[in-house]
Amino acid sequence: SFSLGEIGPSANVSVPQISILLEHKLQQVVRQALDALGTISMDINIALPRIKYLMSSNNPAWQGSQVGRGWTAEDGVRLSAAQALVNALAYPINDVKIIEEILILALKDSNGYVAALACEGLTRINSEQSVRAALGYLQRRRWDDSLAVGRRVY
């Protein structure tokens, strides 16, 4: 799937075969498939139900910390999924309503990078529902730095 992803959108005929890899038990295979789908980006509708499943379920085998900052394999899978969805927005052939639904779901992800990518995707969709969801996400995370009295607080 990596090589097909490197080809880009013209490899979209391989999307059904790559989508099957999203059901693999090894997170490394799933992440590579998601990365390929994110690079191909065109006509990934067949993969959307499985991407939604990956974004909304927990895999106990993927819960262990993979790197020093505490990220799990599941964090990596969801980050790749969110990036694939954002990239897919560049092609009108993809089902924007389903992508929007998945990205709204991803705003609740415990990994801030996943949720931030979801927020970016929702602003690109620019529907009333997506903008409302992105704005709500951002409003819950803002802070008032006027109390810092000239000190950098972040």
Side-chain angles (χ1 to χ4, degrees):
S1 68
F2 175 80
S3 298
L4 292 168
E6 290 294 302
I7 294 170
S10 59
N12 69 321
V13 296
S14 65
V15 168
Q17 291 80 14
I18 294 171
S19 297
I20 293 169
L21 296 174
L22 297 178
E23 297 181 20
H24 202 280
K25 68 178 183 173
L26 294 175
Q27 55 90 10
Q28 296 91 336
V29 174
V30 174
R31 281 188 16 245
Q32 288 297 319
L34 286 165
D35 290 347
L37 291 171
T39 305
I40 294 169
S41 301
M42 184 186 294
D43 199 11
I44 67 163
N45 292 325
I46 194 168
L48 294 177
R50 185 63 187 172
I51 292 173
K52 182 178 181 180
Y53 176 80
L54 291 168
M55 294 295 274
S56 62
S57 64
N58 292 314
N59 185 328
W62 298 350
Q63 299 303 315
S65 180
Q66 298 288 304
V67 292
R69 64 183 175 268
W71 278 41
T72 66
E74 193 161 76
D75 289 330
V77 166
R78 289 181 177 169
L79 184 67
S80 294
Q83 186 64 62
L85 293 172
V86 172
N87 291 353
L89 292 172
Y91 295 95
I93 195 169
N94 294 314
D95 192 329
V96 176
K97 292 306 282 177
I98 294 175
I99 293 172
E100 179 181 51
E101 178 185 320
I102 300 168
L103 291 174
I104 289 172
L105 177 70
L107 289 175
K108 297 175 185 168
D109 198 274
S110 62
N111 184 296
Y113 289 98
V114 173
L117 273 170
C119 190
E120 173 62 28
L122 291 167
T123 61
R124 290 182 187 189
I125 292 170
N126 200 27
S127 70
E128 184 177 333
Q129 179 179 345
S130 68
V131 170
R132 191 177 322 116
L135 186 57
Y137 170 81
L138 294 171
Q139 285 175 324
R140 291 186 298 276
R141 281 151 184 84
R142 68 180 170 89
W143 67 88
D144 180 358
D145 63 358
S146 66
L147 301 175
V149 191
R151 285 189 352 208
R152 190 173 183 172
V153 295
Y154 49 89

